[in-house]
C-alpha cells in the first residue's frame, strides 16, 4: 500500500458524511430543489448502505405504525397515546410520495426491487394484552390513515391471516390480532444504493468510498473545513463546505463531538446490538406472508419488539424472528470497541451517568439477552411459532444502534428512543442521531432538516413549487384530508406496483 502526504483541496456546497438512506435522501432532495449544487459524499466503507440501512441490519422495515405496539403506549389512566403512531404514519405516506415521484420521473427504476406489499399484523395473548390491543384499535380508528385496519379475537381468522403462528398453539389463552393489508416491506439497502447510483450520474456530485472524515472545523465565515483520509492509500483531503450533514448512523455522535458546536453539548450515546433467527426452511418461508409484531418485554428497548417478519432481501423472500438485543461498546457494526469510551467527554459524562442510573432495568435486560442460550432464543420464537424446530433456524448478527442520551430541561440525563436532529444556529451543519423509525420516515426527517438549515431557500416560490410536485400533500395532514389521502394512496400504490385497497 502506498502512502502520500499531499493534501488535496476542494470546495463544495454540501458535504454528506455517511452513505446511508439519510444522506441519499437529503442529497437527492437538495439536488432536485437546486440542481446546480456541488455535493461531495464520504463513506468509510467500500459500499453504500452497509450499516444501519442494510436489510440484514435493519430491526424492521416499512415502519408505518400499523403494527408496532411501542408507538402506542398505554398511559397511566388506561388510555392509548396515539400521537407517535399518527406522526409516523403521516411521515411514511410522505416517503411513499417521494419514492413514487422518483419512479414516475424515471430517476429510480423497478420499484419492486425495494418495496413490496406485505400485511402488517399485531398479535397478543392473555386478558390484559387483548384488552390493550382492542383499546389501541379503537383509538386508531379515529384517524383516517388507519381506517382499513381489521381487529379480531377469532382464532380461525388469525389462522387465515398468518397460519404459522397458530399451528400447534394449545390451550384456551385469549388471543387477539390486528391486520393492515396495506402494509409494505422496504429494502432500504437496495433503495439507498439505487438513489446513489442515480446521484452519481449527475453533474456536481461525487461519491467517495473508503474515505473517513477525521476532523471538522468551522471557519469564521460560517463555512466548514472537512478533513478526510482515504483509507486505502492514506491520501488526505480537505474540503471547504458551505453545509455539512452528518448521517453516519452510530458514528454520528463521535463526529458531532469533533464538530464542537454548542448545540451538541451534553449529548451521549447508548449502544444496543441485535441478532436475528433466520429461517432456512423454504416451505416455512413460503407459508408465512406478514410482519407480525408482539409486545416487548418489560425493560426492553423499542428496537427489540419481537416480530416474525416476512422480508424481501436481494430479490428473495426471507423469514426472520427477533431481534434479540445485546450490548456492545461499538457504535457501528464495523466500528471499534473503544467507540463508547471515546464518546465520553466532560460535557456529557453527567447526563450519561444519570441515564444509566435511571435505566437499570434496561441494563439488566441487555445483560440477560447477551447470556441467552440457543434454547432461550428458541423458547422466545415458540411463543410466536409454537411448532418451530431448532434445525430450521440459524443465528445472524443484525445492526448496531446508538440510542440518544441528552439533557432534559432540568439538566439530568435521559435516554431517548427515536431520532434527533441537532443543528448549528446558523444552519451550516446538521447531525442525525438515534435509530427507529429513522429509515421509514427519512423523507420527513430531511424535510424538517431543510426547514432548519435552508430557511431562505425553502421560502422561495421555486422550492415550494418543487416540493409540492415531489410531495403533493406537502404542508397538509392526510388524516385531516381523507379524500386526498385515498387518492394519494391509490396513486402511489399504482406507481410503486403495490396492492392498493378498493
Amino acid at each position: 500500500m502506498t502512502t502520500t502526504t499531499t493534501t488535496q483541496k476542494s470546495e463544495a456546497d454540501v458535504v454528506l458524511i455517511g452513505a446511508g438512506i439519510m444522506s441519499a435522501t437529503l442529497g437527492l432532495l437538495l439536488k432536485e430543489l437546486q440542481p446546480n449544487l456541488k455535493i461531495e459524499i464520504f463513506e468509510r466503507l467500500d459500499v453504500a448502505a452497509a450499516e444501519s440501512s442494510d436489510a440484514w441490519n435493519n430491526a424492521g422495515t416499512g415502519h408505518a405504525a400499523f403494527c408496532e405496539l411501542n408507538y402506542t403506549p398505554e398511559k397511566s389512566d388506561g388510555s392509548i397515546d396515539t400521537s407517535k403512531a399518527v406522526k409516523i404514519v403521516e411521515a411514511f405516506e410522505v416517503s411513499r410520495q417521494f419514492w413514487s415521484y422518483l419512479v414516475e420521473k424515471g430517476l429510480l427504476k423497478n420499484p419492486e426491487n425495494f418495496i413490496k406489499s406485505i400485511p402488517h399484523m399485531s398479535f397478543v395473548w392473555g386478558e390484559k394484552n387483548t384488552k390493550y390491543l382492542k383499546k389501541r384499535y379503537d383509538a386508531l380508528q379515529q384517524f383516517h390513515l388507519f381506517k382499513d385496519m381489521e381487529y379480531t379475537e377469532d382464532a380461525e381468522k388469525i389462522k387465515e391471516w398468518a397460519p404459522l403462528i397458530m399451528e400447534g398453539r394449545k390451550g384456551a389463552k385469549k388471543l387477539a390480532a390486528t391486520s393492515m393489508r396495506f402494509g409494505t416491506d422496504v429494502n432500504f439497502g437496495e433503495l439507498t444504493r439505487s438513489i446513489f447510483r442515480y446521484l452519481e450520474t449527475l453533474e456536481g456530485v461525487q461519491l467517495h468510498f473508503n474515505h473517513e472524515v477525521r476532523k471538522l472545523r468551522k471557519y469564521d465565515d460560517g463555512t466548514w473545513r472537512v478533513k478526510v483520509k482515504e483509507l486505502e492509500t492514506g491520501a488526505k483531503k480537505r474540503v471547504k463546505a458551505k453545509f455539512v450533514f452528518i448521517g453516519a448512523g452510530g458514528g454520528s455522535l463521535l463526529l458531532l463531538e469533533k464538530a464542537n458546536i454548542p448545540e451538541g453539548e451534553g449529548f451521549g450515546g447508548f449502544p444496543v446490538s441485535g441478532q436475528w433467527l433466520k429461517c432456512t426452511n423454504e416451505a416455512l418461508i413460503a407459508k408465512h406472508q406478514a410482519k407480525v409484531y408482539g409486545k416487548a418485554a418489560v425493560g426492553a428497548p423499542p428496537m427489540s419488539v419481537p416480530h416474525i417478519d416476512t422480508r424481501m432481501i436481494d430479490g428473495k423472500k426471507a423469514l426472520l424472528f427477533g431481534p434479540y438485543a445485546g450490548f456492545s461498546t461499538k457504535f457501528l457494526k464495523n466500528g471499534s470497541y473503544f467507540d463508547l469510551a471515546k464518546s465520553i467527554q466532560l460535557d456529557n459524562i453527567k447526563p450519561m451517568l444519570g441515564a444509566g442510573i435511571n435505566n437499570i432495568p434496561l441494563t439488566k435486560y441487555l445483560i440477560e439477552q447477551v447470556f441467552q442460550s440457543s434454547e432461550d432464543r428458541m423458547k422466545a420464537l415458540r411463543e410466536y411459532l409454537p411448532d418451530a424446530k431448532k434445525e430450521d433456524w440459524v443465528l445472524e448478527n443484525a445492526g448496531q444502534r446508538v440510542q440518544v442520551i441528552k439533557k432534559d430541561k432540568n439538566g439530568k440525563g435521559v435516554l431517548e428512543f427515536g431520532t434527533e436532529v441537532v443543528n448549528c444556529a446558523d444552519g451550516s451543519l446538521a447531525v442525525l442521531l438515534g435509530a427507529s423509525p429513522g429509515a421509514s420516515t427519512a423523507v420527513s426527517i430531511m424535510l424538517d432538516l431543510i426547514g432548519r438549515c435552508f430557511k431562505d431557500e425553502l421560502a422561495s416560490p421555486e422550492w415550494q413549487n418543487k416540493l409540492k410536485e415531489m410531495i403533493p400533500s406537502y404542508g397538509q395532514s392526510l388524516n385531516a384530508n381523507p379524500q386526498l389521502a385515498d387518492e394519494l394512496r391509490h396513486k402511489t400504490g399504482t406507481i410503486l406496483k403495490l396492492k392498493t385497497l378498493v
Side-chain angles (χ1 to χ4, degrees):
M1 186 174 74
T2 59
T3 60
T4 179
T5 57
T6 305
T7 300
Q8 299 176 29
K9 296 181 181 179
S10 62
E11 292 189 13
D13 295 305
V14 173
V15 164
L16 306 175
I17 303 173
I21 186 61
M22 294 298 175
S23 290
T25 301
L26 180 59
L28 190 43
L29 278 169
L30 289 174
K31 202 65 177 167
E32 284 295 295
L33 289 166
Q34 190 170 325
N36 65 348
L37 282 178
K38 185 180 179 186
I39 300 176
E40 299 233 19
I41 307 150
F42 295 102
E43 167 58 51
R44 61 192 288 270
L45 300 178
D46 59 359
V47 66
E51 282 281 353
S52 300
S53 302
D54 183 73
W56 289 113
N57 294 341
N58 243 306
T61 57
H63 284 296
F66 295 149
C67 58
E68 303 89 343
L69 302 182
N70 55 303
Y71 296 151
T72 48
E74 189 170 7
K75 295 192 279 191
S76 56
D77 65 359
S79 64
I80 303 298
D81 183 353
T82 58
S83 57
K84 190 169 186 179
V86 171
K87 184 179 179 182
I88 290 169
V89 75
E90 290 265 11
F92 188 69
E93 294 296 325
V94 168
S95 291
R96 280 179 52 133
Q97 289 174 60
F98 182 57
W99 301 335
S100 297
Y101 163 82
L102 299 177
V103 172
E104 199 171 28
K105 293 292 181 182
L107 312 187
L108 289 186
K109 312 288 185 186
N110 305 318
E112 63 273 21
N113 290 346
F114 68 84
I115 188 167
K116 293 274 190 183
S117 294
I118 299 284
H120 284 200
M121 287 179 60
S122 301
F123 175 62
V124 298
W125 52 88
E127 191 73 33
K128 183 181 177 183
N129 288 340
T130 300
K131 282 183 179 177
Y132 160 77
L133 194 64
K134 181 64 167 67
K135 281 196 293 186
R136 176 185 186 267
Y137 168 77
D138 289 339
L140 291 176
Q141 287 304 292
Q142 302 171 53
F143 303 98
H144 184 76
L145 292 175
F146 292 97
K147 73 178 178 65
D148 293 299
M149 182 180 283
E150 298 177 73
Y151 174 87
T152 188
E153 294 176 18
D154 179 5
E156 286 303 312
K157 189 68 174 175
I158 298 172
K159 186 177 180 180
E160 180 188 320
W161 289 346
L164 285 185
I165 67 175
M166 297 303 293
E167 286 184 6
R169 194 168 291 276
K170 299 179 177 68
K173 270 187 181 178
K174 196 164 185 181
L175 304 172
T178 57
S179 178
M180 194 73 166
R181 291 176 294 136
F182 197 66
T184 50
D185 174 73
V186 185
N187 185 327
F188 285 102
E190 181 56 39
L191 175 60
T192 302
R193 287 185 283 272
S194 295
I195 291 175
F196 278 125
R197 279 194 293 270
Y198 170 69
L199 277 173
E200 280 192 286
T201 68
L202 301 180
E203 187 177 346
V205 177
Q206 285 191 301
L207 177 55
H208 309 273
F209 291 114
N210 296 304
H211 280 68
E212 186 171 59
V213 172
R214 294 293 178 90
K215 290 183 181 179
L216 291 155
R217 183 181 170 188
K218 194 174 186 181
Y219 289 122
D220 292 339
D221 65 358
T223 60
W224 286 85
R225 183 184 72 189
V226 184
K227 283 190 174 181
V228 186
K229 183 177 181 180
E230 188 174 350
L231 298 177
E232 285 185 346
T233 66
K236 295 177 181 178
K237 296 181 180 179
R238 185 185 295 172
V239 184
K240 185 179 180 182
K242 295 175 186 174
F243 171 76
V244 176
F245 170 65
I246 302 174
S252 290
L253 176 62
L254 295 172
L255 288 167
L256 171 61
E257 292 175 343
K258 289 179 189 290
N260 197 30
I261 59 172
E263 294 84 357
E265 286 187 9
F267 279 93
F270 185 85
V272 179
S273 60
Q275 292 178 311
W276 294 106
L277 279 177
K278 182 177 79 170
C279 186
T280 58
N281 184 321
E282 294 295 334
L284 288 180
I285 296 169
K287 201 168 186 179
H288 188 76
Q289 182 73 6
K291 294 178 179 293
V292 182
Y293 277 60
K295 287 201 83 174
V298 176
M303 67 168 280
S304 299
V305 173
H307 49 289
I308 182 77
D309 197 348
T310 294
R311 303 278 289 273
M312 293 300 296
I313 301 176
D314 300 327
K316 190 177 178 185
K317 191 176 176 184
L319 183 61
L320 310 178
F321 178 76
Y324 301 95
F327 178 76
S328 167
T329 53
K330 288 182 176 183
F331 278 4
L332 291 161
K333 195 171 181 179
N334 295 283
S336 163
Y337 286 108
F338 296 105
D339 285 343
L340 179 58
K342 283 192 285 187
S343 76
I344 299 171
Q345 299 188 343
L346 286 174
D347 67 279
N348 68 11
I349 189 166
K350 188 177 176 182
M352 288 181 75
L353 287 171
I357 291 167
N358 293 329
N359 287 277
I360 289 173
L362 171 60
T363 307
K364 180 175 178 286
Y365 169 81
L366 293 175
I367 291 169
E368 289 171 351
Q369 289 273 297
V370 168
F371 289 104
Q372 275 191 122
S373 66
S374 59
E375 285 305 318
D376 291 330
R377 285 188 283 268
M378 287 303 298
K379 183 179 177 184
L381 171 61
R382 288 186 184 118
E383 288 188 323
Y384 290 83
L385 300 184
D387 283 350
K389 297 178 176 61
K390 192 174 179 180
E391 60 266 26
D392 292 332
W393 300 83
V394 295
L395 193 65
E396 291 276 347
N397 285 327
Q400 194 75 9
R401 298 287 185 275
V402 178
Q403 309 295 349
V404 178
I405 293 173
K406 67 175 185 178
K407 293 177 184 176
D408 63 11
K409 59 184 178 182
N410 300 314
K412 294 181 180 178
V414 291
L415 184 63
E416 296 280 338
F417 295 103
T419 49
E420 179 114 14
V421 174
V422 182
N423 60 277
C424 283
D426 65 1
S428 63
L429 178 138
V431 185
L432 185 80
L433 302 174
S436 181
S440 295
T441 59
V443 180
S444 289
I445 292 170
M446 292 301 104
L447 287 174
D448 174 63
L449 184 152
I450 288 169
R452 297 184 190 197
C453 299
F454 296 84
K455 289 180 184 176
D456 293 341
E457 294 89 341
L458 185 60
S460 70
E462 293 80 10
W463 280 40
Q464 285 292 310
N465 291 336
K466 187 64 180 180
L467 280 170
K468 286 169 185 169
E469 181 190 349
M470 294 190 290
I471 300 152
S473 73
Y474 179 70
Q476 302 179 69
S477 163
L478 289 177
N479 276 308
N481 291 273
Q483 184 177 345
L484 179 62
D486 290 346
E487 287 172 3
L488 288 175
R489 273 192 166 171
H490 181 78
K491 181 183 177 183
T492 60
T494 302
I495 294 168
L496 296 173
K497 302 181 182 179
L498 302 174
K499 294 174 184 173
T500 55
L501 296 181
V502 177

